[in-house]
Amino acid sequence: MLEDDLKRCGIKTHPCHVLCETKTGHAPRFVARHTHRHPLPARSLIVLNKDTLVVTPELLFLELAASRDIDDIELLRIGFELCGTYVLDVSEDSWDGYTSTDVPITSAKKISTFLERCSGMNGSKRARRLARLIADGSHSPMETVAALLVSLPHCMGGWNLGRVKMNQRIMTADGPKWVDIFFYKERVGLEYKGRRAHSIERTARDDRRQNRLTGTGITVLNIWYEDLAQEHLCEKLMLNIAHSLGKRIRLRSATYEARRRVLYATLMPSIQRYEQLGG
């Protein structure tokens, strides 16, 4: 049976989205069918086994961009996940809501390169526009939320503080260290600390790590959970980051304030969810 085959492939949720040549005939209630008017570019599918093909991460991004059910912010969060080292986990036995992986399954460059071959396909224009805003290498959903807040353009409600690199490798006197969110040109790094309560041992370890990074000439600012969860603290944090970057935030139009609040409200469920699950 198809449902059993899908379970063996690791499908955990319904509906299962299936790419078909046509939508004629009856489909099981747990299947959502999709078609393409244009031929798929080469290397759009991965052979899972002799009976099953799955779409590549790049084609998946395009498919989602063609959907009216996914807004731009959600699509960007998915893009960061595809290009990061974590996978959201909806299973009941997941204590923090995601699983860490060794390497990303794709990159922003691979997505953009693929989309160049998809001109005219449904969702391609939107996908290309948003793919430019994805940063590779996020380690967690909360790092993604922080990166979106600082880097998205004003027209999307972000603070537009500049392009960021995620988990940038920095060579210190004690060997290589990694910075969660890094403004390369300005040499400013952001470290997500999670919840306020940490063990003494972890706090001391983080402080020593930050000292080593500071010793290389990098300015390091810490982001606590409360800085993201409370809007007034989030605004203060962004102003502090802008000051460290040598930038002045002058934009105070009613339109921008409305967009900023919409972005914050859109991201808030994620902020609350991953705090409750363990940060």
Side-chain angles (χ1 to χ4, degrees):
M1 297 291 292
L2 176 59
E3 189 168 12
D4 295 332
D5 292 338
L6 294 174
K7 287 181 180 179
R8 283 192 290 271
C9 292
I11 305 298
K12 297 182 178 180
T13 59
H14 289 164
C16 176
H17 295 266
V18 178
L19 192 60
C20 306
E21 291 185 5
T22 67
K23 289 186 178 181
T24 58
H26 174 73
R29 54 182 171 78
F30 58 86
V31 169
R33 294 183 294 181
H34 302 268
T35 60
H36 274 285
R37 292 184 293 112
H38 299 273
L40 294 177
R43 298 184 295 279
S44 293
L45 302 173
I46 300 170
V47 179
L48 190 61
N49 56 48
K50 64 183 182 66
D51 298 316
T52 310
L53 301 174
V54 295
V55 298
T56 61
E58 298 80 22
L59 179 57
L60 172 62
F61 190 78
L62 174 61
E63 292 278 348
L64 294 175
S67 172
R68 297 179 180 178
D69 297 328
I70 299 178
D71 62 35
D72 286 355
I73 304 305
E74 180 62 21
L75 186 56
L76 281 171
R77 284 194 294 189
I78 293 171
F80 271 71
E81 179 185 353
L82 293 173
C83 300
T85 53
Y86 68 94
V87 177
L88 298 185
D89 189 348
V90 298
S91 61
E92 295 180 357
D93 56 353
S94 174
W95 71 275
D96 56 5
Y98 65 94
T99 300
S100 296
T101 60
D102 293 330
V103 294
I105 59 174
T106 189
S107 68
K109 183 177 180 180
K110 288 180 179 178
I111 292 175
S112 294
T113 300
F114 176 82
L115 293 173
E116 290 174 0
R117 298 184 280 131
C118 300
S119 179
M121 296 180 68
N122 192 21
S124 60
K125 184 176 180 180
R126 180 190 183 202
R128 284 195 298 270
R129 172 173 58 84
L130 295 178
R132 302 188 188 102
L133 303 175
I134 298 172
D136 295 332
S138 178
H139 281 351
S140 73
M142 292 299 279
E143 286 185 9
T144 292
V145 167
L148 290 173
L149 285 170
V150 300
S151 67
L152 284 185
H154 292 139
C155 63
M156 298 183 71
W159 287 85
N160 196 35
L161 297 179
R163 296 282 296 180
V164 298
K165 293 180 177 291
M166 307 295 292
N167 292 286
Q168 175 70 29
R169 184 178 185 268
I170 303 294
M171 184 57 67
T172 72
D174 196 35
K177 305 297 177 185
W178 284 261
V179 181
D180 293 344
I181 301 172
F182 192 56
F183 295 88
Y184 189 85
K185 181 180 178 181
E186 296 87 354
R187 307 289 289 173
V188 173
L190 310 179
E191 289 283 286
Y192 180 68
K193 298 294 186 180
R195 293 174 294 180
R196 182 183 292 124
H198 282 319
S199 67
I200 295 176
E201 293 81 4
R202 177 173 175 179
T203 299
R205 185 171 65 249
D206 286 350
D207 287 346
R208 287 192 293 270
R209 177 172 172 274
Q210 183 167 328
N211 288 341
R212 296 184 185 104
L213 289 169
T214 303
T216 68
I218 293 174
T219 300
V220 179
L221 287 80
N222 294 323
I223 301 177
W224 299 91
Y225 165 74
E226 292 78 12
D227 292 325
L228 299 181
Q230 300 179 39
E231 190 171 357
H232 72 285
L233 292 180
C234 185
E235 181 170 355
K236 290 181 179 180
L237 170 67
M238 297 301 159
L239 293 174
N240 287 334
I241 295 171
H243 180 75
S244 297
L245 294 170
K247 298 181 178 181
R248 294 183 63 185
I249 298 178
R250 300 183 178 88
L251 192 60
R252 277 292 179 268
S253 70
T255 301
Y256 169 66
E257 290 296 328
R259 289 172 176 166
R260 183 169 64 83
R261 285 187 166 83
V262 168
L263 173 63
Y264 189 80
T266 303
L267 295 175
M268 178 53 70
S270 280
I271 296 172
Q272 295 173 334
R273 168 176 167 76
Y274 293 105
E275 160 64 6
Q276 293 169 357
L277 291 171

